Amino acid sequence: MSADAPGPGPGSSRARGRLPGQLRTLVCERSVLDRADGSARWTQEGSSVLAAVYGPRQAKLQKEDAERAVVEVVYKPRSGPQGHLDRSLELEIRGILEGVIPLGMHPRTSIMVVLQILQEDGSVLSCALNAACAALVDAGVPMNTMYASVTCALSPDDRLLLDPDAAEEQAAKARFCFTFPHHFDLIKAVDGEAVVSNSALGCRSHGSFSSDHLLDAFQWARLGCERVAIFARLSLTKSFNAAGSV
């Protein structure tokens, strides 16, 4: 299924004229905080997340692990105190980060990732995950693989919509957030093509959907993650070039 083609059901246009499989404009700014070891601001039009990474650094005695690093995630909502949903998102994000960081390389240390939601207009979890990845790279934290995350919504007329905004999420029958590992094979990759795994690092779903909807969402999200991965590489290359010219 092509993510650029109209989804199932009548009509193909969305807000701002987007097709069902079209992502919003992506923007990534790196090294935006002076006191963090690494930082990044990831924006998907109306949604924006600021990520800061501290560490690896000496872990507090009560949290120290003699065999591996400890990953801590702090998820701060745009306004107000943390709620139950925010704490559950912390666990979700921490699980994905623990899957890509070789924790055994840094025993007795802590890696803290702080995520501050700046703007919310849908797909915020994916935005936060992508911001965390960019900040980890900026901090020079070793990673087994980079990753990309995309949200997919199932509309009331059974269309799949990539990177939904807040209105589309509110109207959706179901929502899916998929995260896929990726890399760039210098031999096999052509014109910056991303090599995205067929296995997801994580999936968070909510709502009413069938197994066919889940499988279709998996494929659409994987295609979307390919585009996010290509953008992340271009952004990183631009950042390196800018640093080299200083």
Side-chain angles (χ1 to χ4, degrees):
M1 180 186 297
S2 170
D4 287 324
S12 61
S13 62
R14 303 163 63 184
R16 305 179 186 89
R18 283 198 293 154
L19 292 172
Q22 187 175 357
L23 303 176
R24 291 175 290 182
T25 302
L26 303 176
V27 178
C28 180
E29 304 167 80
R30 301 172 190 271
S31 302
V32 293
L33 298 176
D34 292 333
R35 296 186 179 181
D37 294 309
S39 60
R41 175 173 176 167
W42 187 279
T43 303
Q44 297 173 204
E45 288 192 9
S47 293
S48 183
V49 178
L50 178 64
V53 173
Y54 303 91
R57 61 185 180 182
Q58 183 65 43
K60 294 181 179 179
L61 186 60
Q62 62 269 32
K63 295 182 179 180
E64 183 180 272
D65 190 318
E67 297 183 352
R68 51 180 276 173
V70 175
V71 176
E72 299 178 81
V73 175
V74 179
Y75 186 95
K76 297 183 177 181
R78 186 171 61 88
S79 61
Q82 264 194 339
H84 174 74
L85 176 61
D86 302 316
R87 288 188 286 272
S88 113
L89 293 177
E90 286 180 346
L91 294 176
E92 183 86 18
I93 295 168
R94 190 181 75 186
I96 289 174
L97 298 185
E98 289 177 340
V100 299
I101 299 173
L103 302 177
M105 288 182 63
H106 301 283
R108 301 183 185 278
T109 65
S110 166
I111 300 170
M112 176 177 285
V113 180
V114 180
L115 298 162
Q116 174 65 60
I117 309 305
L118 303 177
Q119 294 175 278
E120 291 183 89
D121 187 22
S123 305
V124 177
L125 177 56
S126 289
C127 197
L129 282 163
N130 291 327
C133 185
L136 286 168
V137 172
D138 188 59
V141 175
M143 299 172 68
N144 294 320
T145 178
M146 293 178 66
Y147 65 83
S149 181
V150 165
T151 298
C152 187
L154 179 66
S155 71
D157 57 357
D158 281 351
R159 287 189 302 157
L160 287 171
L161 308 174
L162 277 186
D163 191 18
D165 59 26
E168 290 171 333
E169 285 190 340
Q170 185 69 25
K173 293 165 55 176
R175 299 192 303 271
F176 314 89
C177 177
F178 287 95
T179 304
F180 288 88
H182 69 80
H183 69 280
F184 292 89
D185 191 318
L186 298 179
I187 297 175
K188 297 180 181 179
V190 179
D191 297 329
E193 180 183 354
V195 182
V196 177
S197 172
N198 288 318
S199 300
L201 275 172
C203 171
R204 186 181 180 94
S205 59
H206 173 80
S208 176
F209 54 90
S210 68
S211 58
D212 287 340
H213 288 142
L214 179 62
L215 292 174
D216 285 344
F218 178 93
Q219 295 298 333
W220 272 52
R222 186 176 178 278
L223 290 174
C225 285
E226 287 182 3
R227 297 170 192 173
V228 174
I230 291 171
F231 166 78
R233 184 191 189 189
L234 292 173
S235 171
L236 184 59
T237 301
K238 182 178 180 181
S239 176
F240 285 158
N241 290 340
S245 62
V246 174

